[in-house]
Amino acid sequence: MKKTSIIAEYIWMDNVKPTAKLRSKSKIIPGPIKRVADIPLWSFDGSSTNQAEGNFSDCLLHPVYFVSDPVRGNSDILVMCEVLNSDGTSHPTNTRAVLKKVATKYQKQEPWFGFEQEYTLYCKNRPLGWPEYGFPHPQGRYYCGIGIDEVYGRPVTEDHLQSCLKAGIAVYGVNAEVMPSQWEFQLGPLPPLELADQLWLARWLLYRLGENHNVYAKLDPKPMPGDWNGAGGHTNFSTKAMRAKGGLKVIETACKKLGKFHKQHIAIYGADNDKRLIGQHETCSIHQFRYGVSDRGASIRIPAMTAHAKRGYLEDRRPAANADPYQVLTALLETTCGQGFDPKKYNWEPQVEI
Ligand code: ADP
Ligand code: MN
Ligand code: MN
Ligand code: MN
């Protein structure tokens, strides 16, 4: 193939508290790119992202995963990066480096993850399509609705779906959610690092395409107080043993173990998740842990199909829409495949105290 210059969009997580957001900038590099190792290291001003002091401000961008850029097209690419200190060591905000180690440790158990990303589309300071005064019709008609009187923002979600597929992101499905202008896309099932990298890139695409449609997506777990559903990040999980004959027993053992580490998991399942996990609107209270077949009011749901087949996967319903998948997957792997998860081991600050 002819050598040309391409545009690489370097994407990374910042250190905004309490929830890291994405940053990105463009670099012109020789292409086309075939392997991630051929994408050059780059740097950025860490003092502008809360990742360094002004007098020692350089942080490094280490490319770790890439997909083709569906917005620019051509041979352009979107590049997920780990943030390194200027000496090449892993930055404290680099949660991906932790998941990478943990995923390698439990690779033999062949873990797969699927993530349900709920989000709310906003225009100005209101959810898209909500009246300037008062409220929309109460919930009940919007979930999987059709027609502009039922759902708001389909052109955005459709653009996002097509773009993700063009990029090679493993979208599983899309649906309109219970609260008007709330939507969901699902990814997976995939191995841990691929799933988490693709999720961050799919989030970036959602924000980027929102610019074209004059709307923005919020991952706030409880955007509207009152009788409106919150936004979750249900995390579906299985190992080879769970998917094999007799897997239901392995799933039940995992559920019992997850109950023992509930507080440790909740600590990193997203800021403001206490406003969402209130025992209403298809959630279990943040102060309880329950698992059950087909139970959407439980912390962990065992899908009916899994119970019938006596093998399959479990759904952790606790993570909030704004959770960092690198952290969530680390916790699930350490608790179910290993001895248990403790955020202190990685100096991860609690996002919610219970
Ligand atoms: P829900 O009924 O909870 O709304 P969805 O249909 O929205 O479920 O999402 C199902 C999720 O389960 C998808 O993200 C998919 O990738 C994931 N999934 C399916 N099979 C498996 C599996 N064997 N292991 C892990 N995740 C899985
Ligand atoms: Mn779903
Ligand atoms: Mn949902
Ligand atoms: Mn779900």
Side-chain angles (χ1 to χ4, degrees):
M1 210 186 263
K2 199 168 114 265
K3 283 251 180 266
T4 48
S5 287
I6 65 153
I7 312 172
E9 190 71 14
Y10 284 61
I11 300 170
W12 73 96
M13 292 165 64
D14 68 17
N15 188 29
V16 167
K17 305 278 184 197
T19 303
K21 285 208 70 171
L22 291 171
R23 309 275 179 142
S24 73
K25 57 176 186 161
S26 318
K27 186 173 170 64
I28 316 308
I29 62 172
I33 293 294
K34 291 264 179 279
R35 303 176 317 145
V36 72
D38 295 335
I39 308 170
L41 210 67
W42 203 14
S43 61
F44 70 99
D45 166 17
S47 71
S48 298
T49 60
N50 201 21
Q51 283 164 309
E53 302 295 331
N55 54 3
F56 197 72
S57 64
D58 276 6
C59 288
L60 299 178
L61 291 174
H62 174 48
V64 286
Y65 189 79
F66 77 101
V67 296
S68 51
D69 181 344
V71 184
R72 290 190 170 120
N74 308 316
S75 297
D76 298 337
I77 55 174
L78 305 178
V79 186
M80 193 65 204
C81 299
E82 284 188 18
V83 174
L84 309 181
N85 298 307
S86 55
D87 64 1
T89 56
S90 184
H91 192 274
T93 58
N94 186 350
T95 49
R96 186 187 188 277
V98 173
L99 176 62
K100 190 176 176 188
K101 269 199 197 125
V102 172
T104 307
K105 191 169 169 193
Y106 300 116
Q107 205 167 18
K108 282 217 179 79
Q109 301 190 36
E110 293 181 30
W112 292 355
F113 288 92
F115 196 89
E116 300 168 55
Q117 178 68 67
E118 292 181 340
Y119 61 93
T120 312
L121 290 176
Y122 271 71
C123 186
K124 298 189 179 148
N125 58 357
R126 300 282 282 170
L128 181 67
W130 285 43
E132 198 168 338
Y133 303 100
F135 290 92
H137 193 278
Q139 292 184 164
R141 58 202 285 177
Y142 307 108
Y143 170 74
C144 295
I146 178 75
I148 55 168
D149 52 339
E150 312 284 12
V151 296
Y152 311 131
R154 174 103 52 195
V156 187
T157 66
E158 193 60 25
D159 195 5
H160 183 249
L161 169 61
Q162 299 285 358
S163 300
C164 284
L165 293 177
K166 246 188 237 165
I169 290 173
V171 180
Y172 176 91
V174 175
N175 63 270
E177 268 303 338
V178 175
M179 189 181 98
S181 62
Q182 201 175 76
W183 294 82
E184 167 178 317
F185 66 85
Q186 306 104 33
L187 300 186
L190 285 173
L193 267 186
E194 282 92 325
L195 189 277
D197 288 340
Q198 289 196 11
L199 178 57
W200 277 115
L201 292 175
R203 285 175 174 178
W204 185 90
L205 273 171
L206 186 61
Y207 300 130
R208 172 64 190 83
L209 293 167
E211 293 176 6
N212 296 0
H213 293 272
N214 211 21
V215 300
Y216 59 99
K218 269 202 194 191
L219 306 187
D220 186 339
K222 192 74 178 180
M224 286 291 156
D227 202 12
W228 303 104
N229 273 34
H234 297 170
T235 306
N236 301 275
F237 169 63
S238 64
T239 58
K240 192 178 178 186
M242 292 177 188
R243 296 186 294 268
K245 199 164 175 237
L248 189 59
K249 285 243 151 58
V250 185
I251 291 172
E252 281 165 354
T253 306
C255 289
K256 288 188 185 118
K257 233 165 149 192
L258 285 163
K260 293 200 179 116
F261 294 90
H262 177 65
K263 281 192 178 169
Q264 289 89 331
H265 279 241
I266 286 295
I268 52 88
Y269 274 10
D272 290 327
N273 207 11
D274 47 328
K275 299 190 178 71
R276 165 182 166 259
L277 296 178
I278 53 174
Q280 292 166 33
H281 306 121
E282 301 174 43
T283 69
C284 184
S285 160
I286 201 164
H287 303 293
Q288 287 173 20
F289 178 89
R290 283 194 297 129
Y291 69 91
V293 172
S294 206
D295 185 355
R296 287 175 194 267
S299 321
I300 309 275
R301 166 177 151 256
I302 299 171
M305 300 250 283
T306 294
H308 288 150
K310 296 194 167 53
R311 58 163 96 176
Y313 64 97
L314 63 84
E315 177 193 41
D316 190 344
R317 301 178 61 80
R318 297 170 296 171
N322 61 354
D324 169 4
Y326 297 133
Q327 292 186 308
V328 173
L329 272 46
T330 296
L332 281 166
L333 286 171
E334 290 209 312
T335 298
T336 57
C337 300
Q339 298 305 307
F341 168 70
D342 185 359
K344 288 198 197 87
K345 183 171 168 191
Y346 306 113
N347 290 319
W348 287 349
E349 287 168 29
Q351 297 150 356
V352 166
E353 303 263 12
I354 55 165

